[in-house]
Amino acid sequence: MTCPCKSGKEYPQCCAPIHKGEQAAKTAEALMRSRYSAFVLADINYLMRSHHKSTRPLRDKKNILNFAKSVTWMGLQIVSSKAGKETDTEGWVEFKATYLENGRPQCIHENSYFVKDKGIWYYKSGEHK
Ligand SMILES: [Zn+2]
């Protein structure tokens, strides 16, 4: 199957190795894409693991899983990214994720903040646009 992050690549060549922990996301944007596809696949464990431990929403785990499963994910659009490259330790990715909730189109428009901790990228926080 093509990867749910809409990169145009096949899932096994895109987000799958990151989800399985075989490979780390090289950039903040790659981590962002892998988190979007984890929402599509309702991979809650990966969503928790890729969320920095300082802000990891463990108490909302079930709600996040229910939300991810209850909506129809339509697509991801990266609006812009700042830093977050292989040599950086922090980065920002502004994105729009669209989905249908009870048949109605909805959009998450967020500027996400990513940090690198011991060489691994994590999602830390997001600011809704
Ligand atoms: Zn992907």
Side-chain angles (χ1 to χ4, degrees), residues 40-57:
V40 177
L41 300 168
D43 185 345
I44 189 67
N45 291 324
Y46 178 75
L47 289 170
M48 290 294 131
R49 207 164 72 233
S50 59
H51 203 125
H52 194 262
K53 58 183 187 301
S54 63
T55 52
R56 192 174 288 155

Side-chain angles (χ1 to χ4, degrees), residues 75-129:
L76 173 70
Q77 185 202 339
I78 305 288
V79 178
S80 65
S81 35
K82 199 173 110 199
K85 303 290 180 233
E86 285 181 65
T87 50
D88 293 317
T89 51
E90 58 181 356
W92 293 261
V93 180
E94 183 182 343
F95 70 90
K96 286 180 184 174
T98 48
Y99 58 92
L100 294 176
E101 190 169 32
N102 302 318
R104 250 184 273 135
Q106 306 284 348
C107 179
I108 300 170
H109 184 184
E110 189 185 292
N111 191 21
S112 297
Y113 176 55
F114 298 87
V115 291
K116 203 192 261 169
D117 189 348
K118 297 187 181 87
I120 310 262
W121 281 109
Y122 294 94
Y123 171 77
K124 187 149 182 190
S125 58
E127 179 201 322
H128 285 272
K129 300 292 266 183

Side-chain angles (χ1 to χ4, degrees), residues 3-7 9-11 13-16 30 33-34 37:
C3 194
C5 80
K6 310 265 184 197
S7 61
K9 289 188 240 173
E10 291 294 302
Y11 178 59
Q13 275 85 53
C14 190
C15 294
R33 304 192 83 92
S34 74
S37 48

Side-chain angles (χ1 to χ4, degrees), residues 60-81:
D60 294 326
K61 192 172 168 180
K62 208 170 171 191
N63 290 336
I64 296 167
L65 177 62
N66 289 340
F67 168 72
K69 281 183 174 167
S70 71
V71 303
T72 306
W73 293 95
M74 302 301 287
L76 173 70
Q77 185 202 339
I78 305 288
V79 178
S80 65
S81 35

